[in-house]
Amino acid sequence: MNESEASSVAPLEGALPQQHGYTANKDAYLKRLKRIEGQVRGIARMVDEDKYCIDILTQVAAVTKALHAVSLGLVEEHIGHCVVGAAAEPDPELRAEAIDFKVKEATDAIGRLLR
């Protein structure tokens, strides 16, 4: 099953919505992202006010680091929840396929982060 097939699979009627690994920490992620959003608005304001380029670059680096921290947290949540969940699949044949798929998702995501 490839990524597009997985995303097009409809949930079973009456099934509970899928809970993601980050759900338990959703409020913390949202709080952190709102803080990052404020930092980005601050950078735009600095550009608008013709602030010194090195000061702007310092703030860009801070936002980049904050986004990387969010990304790493989400990768950790994916591995701890989604990959581990796939490993709990009772059918051995489906388990191997599910693990491979979830690990590939994580690997692809990490690859996109490293570009």
Short mmCIF file of all heavy atoms in Angstrom, two decimals, residues 62-104:
data_model
loop_
_atom_site.label_atom_id
_atom_site.label_comp_id
_atom_site.label_asym_id
_atom_site.label_seq_id
_atom_site.Cartn_x
_atom_site.Cartn_y
_atom_site.Cartn_z
N ALA A 62 16.28 31.55 15.25
CA ALA A 62 15.51 31.13 16.43
C ALA A 62 14.20 30.45 16.03
O ALA A 62 13.82 29.42 16.61
CB ALA A 62 15.22 32.34 17.32
N VAL A 63 13.53 30.99 15.01
CA VAL A 63 12.28 30.38 14.54
C VAL A 63 12.57 29.02 13.91
O VAL A 63 11.83 28.06 14.15
CB VAL A 63 11.57 31.32 13.53
CG1 VAL A 63 10.46 30.60 12.80
CG2 VAL A 63 11.03 32.55 14.24
N THR A 64 13.63 28.95 13.14
CA THR A 64 14.01 27.68 12.51
C THR A 64 14.27 26.62 13.57
O THR A 64 13.80 25.48 13.46
CB THR A 64 15.25 27.88 11.62
OG1 THR A 64 14.94 28.87 10.63
CG2 THR A 64 15.66 26.59 10.94
N LYS A 65 14.99 26.99 14.61
CA LYS A 65 15.29 26.05 15.70
C LYS A 65 13.99 25.61 16.40
O LYS A 65 13.81 24.43 16.72
CB LYS A 65 16.24 26.69 16.70
CG LYS A 65 16.67 25.76 17.80
CD LYS A 65 17.69 26.39 18.72
CE LYS A 65 18.04 25.41 19.83
NZ LYS A 65 18.99 25.98 20.78
N ALA A 66 13.09 26.55 16.61
CA ALA A 66 11.81 26.22 17.26
C ALA A 66 10.99 25.27 16.39
O ALA A 66 10.38 24.31 16.90
CB ALA A 66 11.03 27.50 17.55
N LEU A 67 10.96 25.50 15.08
CA LEU A 67 10.23 24.60 14.17
C LEU A 67 10.88 23.22 14.13
O LEU A 67 10.18 22.21 14.08
CB LEU A 67 10.16 25.20 12.77
CG LEU A 67 9.14 26.33 12.60
CD1 LEU A 67 9.30 26.99 11.25
CD2 LEU A 67 7.71 25.80 12.78
N HIS A 68 12.20 23.17 14.18
CA HIS A 68 12.88 21.87 14.22
C HIS A 68 12.50 21.11 15.49
O HIS A 68 12.30 19.89 15.45
CB HIS A 68 14.39 22.04 14.13
CG HIS A 68 14.88 22.29 12.75
ND1 HIS A 68 16.07 22.89 12.48
CD2 HIS A 68 14.33 22.04 11.53
CE1 HIS A 68 16.25 22.99 11.18
NE2 HIS A 68 15.19 22.49 10.59
N ALA A 69 12.39 21.81 16.60
CA ALA A 69 12.01 21.16 17.85
C ALA A 69 10.59 20.58 17.75
O ALA A 69 10.34 19.46 18.20
CB ALA A 69 12.10 22.15 19.02
N VAL A 70 9.68 21.32 17.15
CA VAL A 70 8.32 20.81 16.93
C VAL A 70 8.38 19.58 16.03
O VAL A 70 7.75 18.55 16.30
CB VAL A 70 7.40 21.89 16.32
CG1 VAL A 70 6.07 21.30 15.85
CG2 VAL A 70 7.15 23.01 17.33
N SER A 71 9.16 19.68 14.95
CA SER A 71 9.28 18.56 14.01
C SER A 71 9.81 17.30 14.69
O SER A 71 9.28 16.21 14.49
CB SER A 71 10.21 18.94 12.85
OG SER A 71 9.70 20.03 12.15
N LEU A 72 10.86 17.46 15.48
CA LEU A 72 11.42 16.30 16.17
C LEU A 72 10.43 15.68 17.15
O LEU A 72 10.35 14.46 17.28
CB LEU A 72 12.72 16.69 16.89
CG LEU A 72 13.92 16.92 15.99
CD1 LEU A 72 15.10 17.44 16.80
CD2 LEU A 72 14.29 15.65 15.26
N GLY A 73 9.67 16.54 17.81
CA GLY A 73 8.63 16.03 18.71
C GLY A 73 7.59 15.22 17.97
O GLY A 73 7.17 14.15 18.43
N LEU A 74 7.19 15.72 16.80
CA LEU A 74 6.19 15.00 16.00
C LEU A 74 6.74 13.69 15.46
O LEU A 74 6.03 12.68 15.42
CB LEU A 74 5.68 15.89 14.87
CG LEU A 74 4.80 17.06 15.32
CD1 LEU A 74 4.55 18.02 14.17
CD2 LEU A 74 3.48 16.56 15.90
N VAL A 75 8.02 13.68 15.07
CA VAL A 75 8.64 12.43 14.61
C VAL A 75 8.66 11.41 15.76
O VAL A 75 8.32 10.25 15.58
CB VAL A 75 10.06 12.67 14.06
CG1 VAL A 75 10.81 11.36 13.88
CG2 VAL A 75 10.00 13.43 12.74
N GLU A 76 9.05 11.89 16.93
CA GLU A 76 9.08 11.00 18.10
C GLU A 76 7.69 10.46 18.41
O GLU A 76 7.52 9.27 18.70
CB GLU A 76 9.63 11.76 19.31
CG GLU A 76 9.77 10.89 20.53
CD GLU A 76 10.38 11.63 21.71
OE1 GLU A 76 10.79 12.79 21.57
OE2 GLU A 76 10.40 11.03 22.80
N GLU A 77 6.68 11.32 18.34
CA GLU A 77 5.29 10.88 18.59
C GLU A 77 4.87 9.85 17.53
O GLU A 77 4.20 8.87 17.85
CB GLU A 77 4.34 12.08 18.55
CG GLU A 77 4.66 13.18 19.53
CD GLU A 77 4.04 12.99 20.90
OE1 GLU A 77 3.50 11.91 21.19
OE2 GLU A 77 4.12 13.95 21.69
N HIS A 78 5.25 10.08 16.27
CA HIS A 78 4.89 9.15 15.19
C HIS A 78 5.50 7.78 15.45
O HIS A 78 4.81 6.75 15.36
CB HIS A 78 5.36 9.68 13.83
CG HIS A 78 5.11 8.74 12.71
ND1 HIS A 78 3.85 8.51 12.19
CD2 HIS A 78 5.96 7.93 12.01
CE1 HIS A 78 3.93 7.62 11.22
NE2 HIS A 78 5.20 7.25 11.09
N ILE A 79 6.77 7.77 15.81
CA ILE A 79 7.43 6.48 16.06
C ILE A 79 6.84 5.81 17.29
O ILE A 79 6.53 4.61 17.26
CB ILE A 79 8.95 6.69 16.21
CG1 ILE A 79 9.54 7.11 14.86
CG2 ILE A 79 9.63 5.41 16.73
CD1 ILE A 79 10.97 7.60 14.92
N GLY A 80 6.65 6.57 18.35
CA GLY A 80 6.13 6.00 19.60
C GLY A 80 4.69 5.56 19.53
O GLY A 80 4.27 4.67 20.27
N HIS A 81 3.92 6.15 18.65
CA HIS A 81 2.49 5.81 18.57
C HIS A 81 2.18 5.01 17.31
O HIS A 81 1.67 3.90 17.39
CB HIS A 81 1.65 7.09 18.62
CG HIS A 81 0.19 6.85 18.53
ND1 HIS A 81 -0.50 6.90 17.35
CD2 HIS A 81 -0.73 6.56 19.48
CE1 HIS A 81 -1.78 6.64 17.56
NE2 HIS A 81 -1.95 6.43 18.85
N CYS A 82 2.48 5.57 16.16
CA CYS A 82 2.07 4.95 14.90
C CYS A 82 2.89 3.71 14.56
O CYS A 82 2.33 2.69 14.18
CB CYS A 82 2.15 5.98 13.78
SG CYS A 82 1.11 7.45 14.08
N VAL A 83 4.22 3.80 14.69
CA VAL A 83 5.06 2.64 14.37
C VAL A 83 4.84 1.55 15.41
O VAL A 83 4.67 0.38 15.07
CB VAL A 83 6.54 3.04 14.27
CG1 VAL A 83 7.42 1.81 14.06
CG2 VAL A 83 6.76 4.05 13.14
N VAL A 84 4.82 1.93 16.68
CA VAL A 84 4.57 0.94 17.74
C VAL A 84 3.18 0.33 17.58
O VAL A 84 2.99 -0.87 17.76
CB VAL A 84 4.77 1.57 19.14
CG1 VAL A 84 4.28 0.65 20.23
CG2 VAL A 84 6.24 1.92 19.34
N GLY A 85 2.20 1.17 17.20
CA GLY A 85 0.84 0.65 16.95
C GLY A 85 0.83 -0.36 15.82
O GLY A 85 0.14 -1.38 15.89
N ALA A 86 1.59 -0.09 14.76
CA ALA A 86 1.67 -1.04 13.65
C ALA A 86 2.29 -2.36 14.11
O ALA A 86 1.88 -3.43 13.68
CB ALA A 86 2.48 -0.43 12.50
N ALA A 87 3.26 -2.27 15.02
CA ALA A 87 3.90 -3.48 15.53
C ALA A 87 2.96 -4.31 16.39
O ALA A 87 3.20 -5.50 16.61
CB ALA A 87 5.14 -3.10 16.34
N ALA A 88 1.88 -3.71 16.85
CA ALA A 88 0.91 -4.43 17.67
C ALA A 88 -0.17 -5.12 16.84
O ALA A 88 -1.04 -5.80 17.40
CB ALA A 88 0.24 -3.46 18.66
N GLU A 89 -0.11 -4.99 15.53
CA GLU A 89 -1.07 -5.65 14.63
C GLU A 89 -1.01 -7.15 14.86
O GLU A 89 0.07 -7.75 14.78
CB GLU A 89 -0.74 -5.30 13.17
CG GLU A 89 -1.44 -6.12 12.13
CD GLU A 89 -2.96 -6.00 12.16
OE1 GLU A 89 -3.45 -4.86 12.20
OE2 GLU A 89 -3.64 -7.05 12.15
N PRO A 90 -2.14 -7.78 15.17
CA PRO A 90 -2.13 -9.22 15.48
C PRO A 90 -1.80 -10.12 14.28
O PRO A 90 -1.20 -11.17 14.47
CB PRO A 90 -3.53 -9.51 16.01
CG PRO A 90 -4.35 -8.32 15.70
CD PRO A 90 -3.45 -7.18 15.38
N ASP A 91 -2.18 -9.73 13.08
CA ASP A 91 -1.92 -10.55 11.89
C ASP A 91 -0.47 -10.33 11.45
O ASP A 91 -0.11 -9.22 11.05
CB ASP A 91 -2.88 -10.16 10.78
CG ASP A 91 -2.71 -10.97 9.51
OD1 ASP A 91 -1.56 -11.32 9.17
OD2 ASP A 91 -3.73 -11.24 8.84
N PRO A 92 0.38 -11.36 11.51
CA PRO A 92 1.81 -11.19 11.20
C PRO A 92 2.07 -10.62 9.80
O PRO A 92 2.98 -9.82 9.62
CB PRO A 92 2.39 -12.60 11.31
CG PRO A 92 1.40 -13.38 12.10
CD PRO A 92 0.06 -12.73 11.89
N GLU A 93 1.29 -11.03 8.82
CA GLU A 93 1.49 -10.53 7.46
C GLU A 93 1.14 -9.04 7.37
O GLU A 93 1.89 -8.26 6.80
CB GLU A 93 0.63 -11.34 6.49
CG GLU A 93 1.14 -11.31 5.07
CD GLU A 93 0.42 -12.30 4.20
OE1 GLU A 93 0.59 -13.52 4.43
OE2 GLU A 93 -0.31 -11.85 3.32
N LEU A 94 0.03 -8.68 7.95
CA LEU A 94 -0.36 -7.26 7.97
C LEU A 94 0.59 -6.45 8.83
O LEU A 94 0.87 -5.29 8.53
CB LEU A 94 -1.79 -7.11 8.47
CG LEU A 94 -2.91 -7.63 7.56
CD1 LEU A 94 -4.26 -7.48 8.24
CD2 LEU A 94 -2.89 -6.90 6.23
N ARG A 95 1.07 -7.06 9.92
CA ARG A 95 1.98 -6.35 10.82
C ARG A 95 3.24 -5.92 10.08
O ARG A 95 3.65 -4.76 10.17
CB ARG A 95 2.36 -7.25 12.01
CG ARG A 95 3.30 -6.57 12.99
CD ARG A 95 3.74 -7.47 14.15
NE ARG A 95 2.71 -8.36 14.62
CZ ARG A 95 2.83 -9.69 14.68
NH1 ARG A 95 3.96 -10.28 14.32
NH2 ARG A 95 1.85 -10.43 15.12
N ALA A 96 3.84 -6.82 9.34
CA ALA A 96 5.08 -6.50 8.62
C ALA A 96 4.84 -5.38 7.62
O ALA A 96 5.64 -4.44 7.52
CB ALA A 96 5.62 -7.74 7.92
N GLU A 97 3.73 -5.46 6.90
CA GLU A 97 3.39 -4.42 5.91
C GLU A 97 3.13 -3.08 6.61
O GLU A 97 3.60 -2.03 6.16
CB GLU A 97 2.16 -4.85 5.11
CG GLU A 97 1.79 -3.88 4.01
CD GLU A 97 0.56 -4.35 3.23
OE1 GLU A 97 0.27 -5.55 3.19
OE2 GLU A 97 -0.10 -3.47 2.67
N ALA A 98 2.40 -3.11 7.71
CA ALA A 98 2.08 -1.88 8.43
C ALA A 98 3.33 -1.23 9.01
O ALA A 98 3.51 -0.01 8.93
CB ALA A 98 1.06 -2.17 9.54
N ILE A 99 4.22 -2.05 9.58
CA ILE A 99 5.46 -1.51 10.14
C ILE A 99 6.29 -0.88 9.03
O ILE A 99 6.79 0.24 9.17
CB ILE A 99 6.27 -2.61 10.87
CG1 ILE A 99 5.55 -3.04 12.15
CG2 ILE A 99 7.68 -2.11 11.20
CD1 ILE A 99 6.14 -4.28 12.79
N ASP A 100 6.45 -1.61 7.92
CA ASP A 100 7.23 -1.08 6.80
C ASP A 100 6.66 0.27 6.33
O ASP A 100 7.40 1.21 6.08
CB ASP A 100 7.25 -2.06 5.63
CG ASP A 100 8.11 -3.28 5.90
OD1 ASP A 100 8.90 -3.26 6.86
OD2 ASP A 100 7.98 -4.26 5.13
N PHE A 101 5.34 0.35 6.22
CA PHE A 101 4.70 1.57 5.75
C PHE A 101 4.94 2.73 6.72
O PHE A 101 5.31 3.83 6.31
CB PHE A 101 3.19 1.33 5.56
CG PHE A 101 2.47 2.54 5.06
CD1 PHE A 101 2.55 2.91 3.73
CD2 PHE A 101 1.72 3.32 5.93
CE1 PHE A 101 1.90 4.05 3.27
CE2 PHE A 101 1.06 4.46 5.47
CZ PHE A 101 1.15 4.82 4.14
N LYS A 102 4.75 2.49 8.01
CA LYS A 102 4.91 3.55 9.01
C LYS A 102 6.37 4.00 9.13
O LYS A 102 6.65 5.19 9.29
CB LYS A 102 4.37 3.12 10.38
CG LYS A 102 2.86 2.93 10.41
CD LYS A 102 2.16 4.23 10.07
CE LYS A 102 0.65 4.08 10.09
NZ LYS A 102 -0.02 5.32 9.73
N VAL A 103 7.31 3.06 9.04
CA VAL A 103 8.73 3.41 9.08
C VAL A 103 9.09 4.23 7.83
O VAL A 103 9.82 5.22 7.92
CB VAL A 103 9.61 2.15 9.21
CG1 VAL A 103 11.08 2.47 8.97
CG2 VAL A 103 9.43 1.53 10.60
N LYS A 104 8.56 3.84 6.67
CA LYS A 104 8.81 4.59 5.43
C LYS A 104 8.26 6.00 5.54
O LYS A 104 8.91 6.96 5.12
CB LYS A 104 8.18 3.85 4.24
CG LYS A 104 8.28 4.58 2.91
CD LYS A 104 9.56 4.23 2.20
CE LYS A 104 9.56 4.72 0.77
NZ LYS A 104 10.13 6.03 0.60
#
